[in-house]
Amino acid sequence: MSAEPAEAGTSTGAVARRLGVSPTTVRSWERRYGIGPAEREAGHHRRWTPRDVAVLEAMCRLTARGVPPAEAARLAPALAGTADGPPPTAPGPAGAVRPEVRGLARAARRLDSPEVARILHGSVERLGAVTAWTDVMAPALRAAGRRWARSGERYVEVEHLLSWHVSSALRRVAEPPATAPGPPVLLAAMPGEQHTLPLEAVAAALAERGLPFRVFGAAVPAEALAEAVRRTGPAAVLLWSQTRATADPVPVRATATTAWGGRGSRVRPTLLAAGPGWHRTTRPPDALAPRDLPGALALLTGALGAGGAGR
């Protein structure tokens, strides 16, 4: 996280920049919890030694992992210079924000990519893609979006960094199984739709279950999607729309009427219109409408079972 300070010590401002926190935060930790320079000279600005900076780095890691600041200050000296931290915190009561969400928010605001990646990868490994998305990733992304909306163009870099790392964590597990039997499901964003993280979460959940899928990503033209349906004969097609501007029923109907197979045995895929962009007035009547990732996964799993059994 940091380069080695000079032997004479580093100023509070330089340490704060290196750690990605404000000088006020560093001074607050020193005042409240005694996390400060080991040696001070009267009449001089504080100078932080390498050991002092290592303690601050441990403090940052711990608070990013959801440890309360007072407890983090107690643990930081023993963990200084290591990558260790406390064991994963158990989830709180229903509806409570998980510690990982608070940790992600703090690390993302510091633009601390290594810590953001560590929290996200650990969440997927411990919780699985579905819970990691619904309880950690999506709440953190919503919080970052609200912060950006409240502050104009400020903090957009925080949201972009967080989105990139969420995508990276999901794609680590979203490898389509090479030997899965039966037809796949197709995952695509509507024409003009650039939001793809929910599709990547669905893909990661399907991969964890060893189910076949194909992901086509953002802004898939209707003609290309219809061609993919004809070429792969999918059991289901999930079309994602984040905003009403991209919830166009025309390409959905075209997909719904695309069939494959020999004459007399043509088959059409189960169609899912997913995402907050869809409304009952724009969603085709024959399209299923999952409310969340677990619901979409249940529908896709059911379609795969039905499609695989009939071939």
Side-chain angles (χ1 to χ4, degrees):
M1 181 184 294
S2 66
E4 188 75 6
E7 287 299 321
T10 306
S11 69
T12 298
V15 168
R17 285 192 299 273
R18 185 172 296 141
L19 299 177
V21 299
S22 70
T24 302
T25 297
V26 175
R27 296 187 186 101
S28 174
W29 286 349
E30 181 185 6
R31 184 177 65 256
R32 294 181 181 181
Y33 311 118
I35 300 293
E39 298 181 3
R40 308 175 192 177
E41 294 183 17
H44 291 80
H45 291 294
R46 292 169 175 80
R47 309 299 292 184
W48 300 76
T49 67
R51 167 65 184 175
D52 299 329
V53 174
V55 173
L56 285 179
E57 288 176 333
M59 180 81 173
C60 287
R61 289 198 307 273
L62 290 165
T63 56
R65 298 174 191 184
V67 178
E71 179 67 6
R74 186 183 68 80
L75 296 171
L79 298 176
T82 76
D84 296 333
T89 306
V97 176
R98 296 186 70 102
E100 295 94 331
V101 178
R102 294 190 294 270
L104 270 180
R106 296 185 185 109
R109 285 197 298 270
R110 297 198 309 269
L111 303 183
D112 186 349
S113 283
E115 184 63 12
V116 169
R118 189 205 64 78
I119 294 172
L120 289 171
H121 296 162
S123 296
V124 173
E125 290 172 2
R126 291 194 311 273
L127 307 173
V130 174
T131 303
W133 171 259
T134 57
D135 290 2
V136 179
M137 297 174 176
L141 288 165
R142 286 195 295 268
R146 287 194 298 267
R147 188 178 182 90
W148 176 32
R150 288 196 303 266
S151 58
E153 289 300 312
R154 293 185 62 205
Y155 302 109
V156 65
E157 73 281 1
V158 173
E159 186 177 25
H160 282 217
L161 179 137
L162 182 57
S163 296
W164 188 90
H165 280 289
V166 167
S167 178
S168 297
L170 292 170
R171 291 191 184 195
R172 287 184 70 184
V173 297
E175 290 291 336
T179 59
V185 299
L186 306 187
L187 311 174
M190 289 293 293
E193 181 58 69
Q194 298 297 323
H195 293 82
T196 62
L197 290 179
L199 295 179
E200 294 171 23
V202 174
L206 290 169
E208 287 179 337
R209 289 156 178 77
L211 299 175
F213 63 91
R214 306 287 185 272
V215 184
F216 295 98
V220 182
E223 300 81 4
L225 183 61
E227 179 62 20
V229 170
R230 283 189 289 268
R231 292 178 62 185
T232 63
V237 178
L238 185 150
L239 297 176
W240 180 266
S241 172
Q242 183 74 19
T243 65
R244 292 195 178 186
T246 63
D248 184 357
V250 175
V252 179
R253 293 192 186 101
T255 302
T257 57
T258 301
W260 66 94
R263 182 173 298 179
S265 60
R266 291 188 176 273
V267 182
R268 291 188 176 89
T270 299
L271 190 63
L272 283 69
W278 293 108
H279 188 264
R280 65 179 182 273
T281 59
T282 57
R283 188 177 64 248
D286 53 349
L288 302 176
R291 299 185 60 182
D292 50 23
L293 175 55
L297 191 62
L299 291 172
L300 291 174
T301 302
L304 284 167
R311 298 175 187 227

